[in-house]
Amino acid sequence: MAVLLTIIGIIVVLLLFTAYAFNKLRRLDIGAQEALGGIDVQLTRRADLIPNLVNTVKGYAQHEKGVFEAVTAARAGAKSAAADGTVAEKAEAQQVLDKAIIDVLAVAEAYPDLKASAGFLQLQTELAETEDKISFARQYYNDAVASLNSIVRTIPWLLFTGIAGVHAREFYNAPEGQETPPAVQF
């Protein structure tokens, strides 16, 4: 009788630990998904600021059509990647958009009246704040992924990843040359 109770006790403990492991892995995975969503929100916010910035600069520099077309294409690519791209695709699309923003800001540099415009200054400030938020969101995501990956790759949690449907995630790495956000200075 004592042996039977011991076996039942062990089975109950194993089942409880399995449920605990499953829930812990799922919580960490959901945290990483949420953090990636935070990056998407900030990238979308930045992409939404771009048309206002472009239209403001366009009024002063109508002959720079190629720059504005490149920005429009880069913005569309960034929004598409934010909607359903992989982490690497998102980073690549943002690199293209970063370069396009720098090109627009370079055009704006040639127009002193534009640089003094209150609307342009406000857009510049919002863009700089958004860049800071993007940087924070990337770090938050990488922290969530580090927590998830350290659990997923260690015993006993490794034994439960299949049951929970949770696997290691890739970090959000800036593409080459993109270690810092684009300079937004005038």
Side-chain angles (χ1 to χ4, degrees):
M1 182 69 156
V3 174
L4 182 61
L5 288 176
T6 303
I7 291 172
I8 291 173
I10 290 172
I11 291 172
V12 168
V13 168
L14 286 175
L15 288 174
L16 288 173
F17 184 75
T18 300
Y20 172 75
F22 178 88
N23 289 334
K24 181 172 182 138
L25 289 168
R26 294 299 297 156
R27 268 194 309 274
L28 288 171
D29 192 49
I30 289 168
Q33 288 173 2
E34 177 186 359
L36 185 58
I39 293 174
D40 292 343
V41 166
Q42 294 307 321
L43 295 178
T44 301
R45 175 175 160 36
R46 179 172 70 167
D48 290 344
L49 285 173
I50 302 302
N52 294 332
L53 182 68
V54 167
N55 288 335
T56 302
V57 175
K58 238 186 217 184
Y60 285 84
Q62 296 173 352
H63 62 283
E64 302 286 350
K65 184 178 179 185
V67 170
F68 302 126
E69 289 173 353
V71 169
T72 302
R75 178 180 177 266
K79 284 193 91 149
S80 175
D84 59 4
T86 66
V87 173
E89 290 169 344
K90 291 174 190 203
E92 184 65 32
Q94 291 312 309
Q95 179 182 18
V96 173
L97 186 57
D98 288 347
K99 183 184 179 323
I101 291 170
I102 290 169
D103 291 346
V104 168
L105 296 176
V107 169
E109 187 69 25
Y111 297 90
D113 291 344
L114 172 60
K115 292 191 309 186
S117 162
F120 184 73
L121 292 175
Q122 179 184 359
L123 286 171
Q124 174 190 349
T125 300
E126 286 183 38
L127 186 60
E129 289 172 358
T130 301
E131 291 298 333
D132 289 342
K133 290 177 182 177
I134 289 170
S135 178
F136 174 77
R138 287 175 180 157
Q139 182 60 48
Y140 182 72
Y141 171 75
N142 282 342
D143 289 346
V145 167
S147 295
L148 174 67
N149 289 352
S150 69
I151 293 291
V152 166
R153 294 180 176 146
T154 59
I155 295 176
W157 312 108
L158 178 64
L159 304 173
F160 298 97
T161 57
I163 295 169
V166 175
H167 303 285
R169 289 178 170 265
E170 72 180 279
F171 287 97
Y172 196 108
N173 295 318
E176 287 296 316
Q178 296 294 308
E179 290 80 14
T180 58
V184 185
Q185 299 173 347
F186 294 94

